[in-house]
Amino acid sequence: MASVAQRGGTLVSGAFTGLLERYRLRCANGREWEVQRRKISEGNWCTRCRDGMLAQRMLSEDGLRRLKETAPAKGGRCLARRYAGTGGEYECECAERHRWKATGAHLLAGH
């Protein structure tokens, strides 16, 4: 099936014979799973690859800058050196030099 090869995947065994049959596939990252051919035709693919691509899309290029600009408004600072998305945890320090970790979403919400 062309869409499997286009995504860097392979059919592990057998040949495609029907839309409702289940097939074992391997993605370009080596993960294997079973799925109906119709699901692949509908655009479904390896869920771990899909989740990784979605996570990458959610990473804002200016995320770390936004976190570092938000913290001083509350009298603190964000000590992080890398941005891991809004779900990532970041070390922070308040004006009294207490340290804790908070998610990017909480920091951006003003917590």
Side-chain angles (χ1 to χ4, degrees), residues 21-57:
E21 299 297 322
R22 295 186 70 79
Y23 300 94
R24 186 148 194 86
L25 300 175
R26 182 180 299 123
C27 71
N29 293 311
R31 290 184 281 272
E32 292 187 10
W33 76 103
E34 287 189 12
V35 66
Q36 287 180 322
R37 181 177 174 183
R38 74 176 180 85
K39 292 291 189 178
I40 299 300
S41 298
E42 292 169 359
N44 292 328
W45 193 241
C46 171
T47 56
R48 289 180 62 194
C49 290
R50 180 201 63 214
D51 293 348
M53 288 186 298
L54 291 174
Q56 282 298 322
R57 284 188 211 147

Side-chain angles (χ1 to χ4, degrees), residues 13 50 65 70 86:
S13 63
R50 180 201 63 214
R65 179 188 56 77
T70 301
T86 56

Side-chain angles (χ1 to χ4, degrees), residues 52-84:
M53 288 186 298
L54 291 174
Q56 282 298 322
R57 284 188 211 147
M58 291 176 65
L59 290 179
S60 171
E61 289 182 24
D62 67 339
L64 186 59
R65 179 188 56 77
R66 290 186 307 136
L67 292 177
K68 290 187 176 278
E69 288 175 353
T70 301
K74 293 284 189 175
R77 62 189 185 126
C78 175
L79 305 174
R81 294 186 179 165
R82 273 189 258 158
Y83 185 64

